[in-house]
Each structure stands twice: as C-alpha cells, then as structure tokens.
C-alpha cells in the first residue's frame, strides 16, 4: 500500500512538472515570437531611411565626386561600403524574423530532387573546383520546401566556403533507418573545435575574420537551426579541425 502511495506521489510530481515544462515552453514560444515581431518591425523600419541614405550617397558620388579631394572621395566610398553592409545586416535580420513569424507550408517534398536542384546553383561545383556527392537517395519528406531548400543551401555553401583544399568535397546523405531520418552534409574543410560548437549557431557570430573566407553575416546557421527547430527537428555536428565537419539534422520531432 505504501508503495502504491509512493508511486501515485511520483506520478503526481511528474505530471505537475510536465505541466510546468509545457507552460515554460509556451511562454518561450510566445516571447520568441515577440522577439521575431520586434526584429521584423525594427529591421523593416530601418530599411527605408537607409535606402534614402544609400541613394543620396550614390548621387553625391556621381555628381560631386569628381570635385572632391581624393581623401574626400575615399571617405565617401567608405560610407557607401558601410551602408551596403548595414543593408545586408538588416536584410539578414528580416530573413531571421521571417522564419519565426511565418507559418510553415508543409507538403510532401522529394528531397533528392530538391538537393540536386540546389547543387546546380553552386559556382564552385559548376567550375569543377569542388565535387558534391549524394550518398544514396534522399527520401520524400513532409516539410516546407522553401525553408528546407534554404537549410541545404546554407550547409552546402558553408561546406564549400570554409574549405582551403585544392579538392573540396561535399557528401550529402541520409540515414533513413533512423526515425526520424537523419540528414547530413559532410565536408573535408577546415573543421571546427568542439568548444566552438555552440557559438557558431549564435546570430552574427563568426569564427573567422569576415574577409578570410568570403562574405557572410554570421546568421546562416542561426536561421538554419531555427528553420529545423520549427519543423520539430534538431541540428548537431561532429568535426575534426583540419580534417572536416559533418552537420546532422532531422526534420521531425524525436520519436
Ligand atoms: P557565415 O557563413 O555567414 O559567417 P554561419 O552562421 O553560416 O555564418 O556560420 C557561422 C560560422 O561558423 C562561420 O563564420 C564559420 O566560422 C563557422 N562555420 C560554419 N560552417 C562551417 C564549416 N562547414 N566548416 C568550418 N566552419 C564553419
């Protein structure tokens, strides 16, 4: 009898905590949405005055540029470069907020076809400075085609970008025996130290100076992670510095 009472007590405790967890989850989702709405409103409102500044500077450069001293011209060019950068950051923030605010459009998507189409867009692959292999066929999955296209684009783009080798290689595949299926994008690039794993998913965080490996705002993986989590999935990685990285992800909640 004592044991039964104890068991009831424990069940009760778990239920209460589950309820609490659910509430915290709900509140987090709500505050995330608030953050997304804020990011959207702020970046949206910043865009217009920035465009005005941009146009004015371009105008100034064209009309009055030749009259300026060379250091004046240099300064004007710097201001123009910085406004372009700001424009890029604002655009990224808009993209980021969009993933959180806008409902997913779920449909059955042939990921094999999607990834083949995605690969056709990459310059280094077209110019044969890099090779991408699909290891087996990818399955058809219920997901948002646009978002998942962006997920693969971001991961493949990073796999080619953070890579110093003569022969860059990207392998894309899926463990379909896992439930839900686990997708992966593997590269033979520069790799990432374990202590940096969490950092790379933070917005505007980069491990390398901006110019070392070409542009980028440091938001790609943040947006990628968010899109994956909206599907109920998870993203994680394994990497050996100097050898390469593999990014894994799912597109459905764990079973
Ligand atoms: P971005 O590429 O715009 O800087 P990301 O959010 O996509 O932003 O990536 C954040 C940082 O994580 C990158 O700046 C880079 O330092 C590191 N990183 C991402 N993908 C890889 C990769 N495949 N191999 C090595 N480093 C990577």
């Amino acid at each position: 009898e004592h044991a039964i009472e104890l068991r009831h007590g424990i069940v009760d405790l778990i239920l209460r905590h589950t309820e609490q967890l659910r509430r915290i989850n709900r509140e987090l989702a709500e505050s995330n949405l608030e953050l997304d709405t804020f990011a959207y409103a702020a970046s949206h409102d910043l865009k217009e005055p920035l465009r005005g500044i941009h146009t004015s500077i371009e105008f100034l450069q064209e009309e009055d540029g030749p009259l300026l001293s060379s250091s004046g011209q240099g300064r004007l060019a710097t201001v123009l470069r910085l406004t372009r950068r700001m424009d890029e950051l604002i655009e990224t923030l808009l993209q980021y907020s969009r993933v959180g605010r806008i409902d997913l459009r779920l449909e059955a998507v042939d990921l094999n076809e999607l990834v083949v189409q995605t690969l056709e867009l990459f310059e280094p692959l077209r110019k044969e400075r890099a090779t991408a292999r699909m290891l087996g066929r990818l399955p058809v999955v219920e997901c948002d085609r646009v978002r998942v296209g962006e997920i693969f684009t971001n991961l493949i783009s990073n796999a080619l970008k953070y890579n110093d080798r003569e022969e860059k290689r990207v392998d894309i595949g899926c463990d379909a025996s896992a439930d839900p299926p686990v997708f992966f994008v593997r590269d033979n690039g520069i790799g990432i130290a374990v202590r940096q794993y969490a950092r790379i998913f933070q917005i505007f965080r980069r491990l390398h100076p901006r110019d070392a490996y070409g542009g980028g705002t440091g938001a790609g993986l943040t947006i990628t992670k968010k899109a994956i989590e909206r599907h109920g999935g998870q993203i994680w990685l394994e990497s050996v510095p100097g050898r390469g990285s593999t990014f894994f992800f799912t597109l459905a909640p764990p079973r």
Side-chain angles (χ1 to χ4, degrees):
E1 202 174 305
H2 202 69
I4 292 177
E5 222 170 81
L6 195 67
R7 211 176 321 149
H8 279 319
I10 291 172
V11 169
D12 200 45
L13 200 71
I14 292 173
L15 281 180
R16 239 181 312 140
H17 280 283
T18 316
E19 191 41 51
Q20 212 169 359
L21 267 178
R22 257 196 219 118
R23 207 195 47 206
I24 292 173
N25 233 335
R26 208 164 40 233
E27 279 170 12
L28 264 177
E30 275 163 20
S31 73
N32 267 342
L33 191 62
E34 254 169 54
L35 201 67
D36 292 333
T37 312
F38 171 75
Y40 173 73
S43 46
H44 184 266
D45 289 355
L46 283 171
K47 246 188 126 57
E48 204 187 284
L50 189 66
R51 187 167 303 134
I53 295 174
H54 208 134
T55 325
S56 302
I57 298 168
E58 273 174 348
F59 190 72
L60 203 67
Q61 205 175 29
E62 263 172 43
E63 296 287 303
D64 303 323
L67 306 175
L68 290 175
S69 66
S70 70
S71 77
Q73 284 178 12
R75 265 183 234 125
L76 208 55
T78 305
V79 177
L80 191 61
R81 186 171 51 76
L82 291 175
T83 50
R84 282 206 186 107
R85 172 94 182 111
M86 230 151 108
D87 209 37
E88 198 183 36
L89 289 171
I90 287 175
E91 196 48 52
T92 305
L93 211 54
L94 272 175
Q95 260 179 40
Y96 171 79
S97 76
R98 195 176 297 134
V99 180
R101 279 181 311 115
I102 294 176
D103 286 340
L104 293 181
R105 287 188 46 182
L106 296 180
E107 54 181 328
V109 180
D110 181 344
L111 291 186
N112 208 71
E113 194 184 307
L114 185 73
V115 172
V116 169
Q117 285 167 0
T118 304
L119 288 175
E120 282 165 8
L121 301 176
F122 284 99
E123 192 87 343
L125 294 173
R126 274 212 305 269
K127 292 192 173 157
E128 294 180 27
R129 283 184 284 113
T131 49
R133 282 188 306 178
M134 307 266 288
L135 305 180
R137 269 191 82 81
L138 298 189
V140 173
V141 165
E142 179 92 354
C143 62
D144 184 311
R145 178 189 298 276
V146 176
R147 298 281 91 94
V148 174
E150 285 166 1
I151 293 169
F152 277 107
T153 303
N154 274 330
L155 293 178
I156 296 165
S157 150
N158 281 346
L160 295 169
K161 189 157 78 168
Y162 299 103
N163 196 324
D164 290 331
R165 290 182 203 257
E166 280 288 303
E167 293 188 17
K168 305 183 205 308
R169 264 200 342 262
V170 190
D171 291 336
I172 299 148
C174 172
D175 177 1
S177 69
D179 191 10
V182 175
F183 300 93
F184 65 85
V185 176
R186 180 164 59 217
D187 64 58
N188 62 345
I190 58 175
I192 300 160
V194 175
R195 66 190 153 77
Q196 309 278 24
Y197 282 9
R199 250 182 97 177
I200 59 172
F201 294 104
Q202 289 169 6
I203 194 156
F204 302 140
R205 281 293 192 112
R206 318 187 70 228
L207 305 183
H208 311 93
R210 203 175 127 68
D211 296 327
Y213 291 94
T217 54
L221 283 177
T222 317
I223 294 174
T224 298
K225 180 167 186 272
K226 201 167 172 182
I228 287 171
E229 287 173 354
R230 282 220 63 191
H231 282 84
Q234 286 171 301
I235 180 166
W236 66 100
L237 70 140
E238 279 168 17
S239 181
V240 182
R243 300 270 302 271
S245 314
T246 309
F247 283 81
F248 300 91
F249 65 96
T250 53
L251 287 172
R255 295 280 172 156

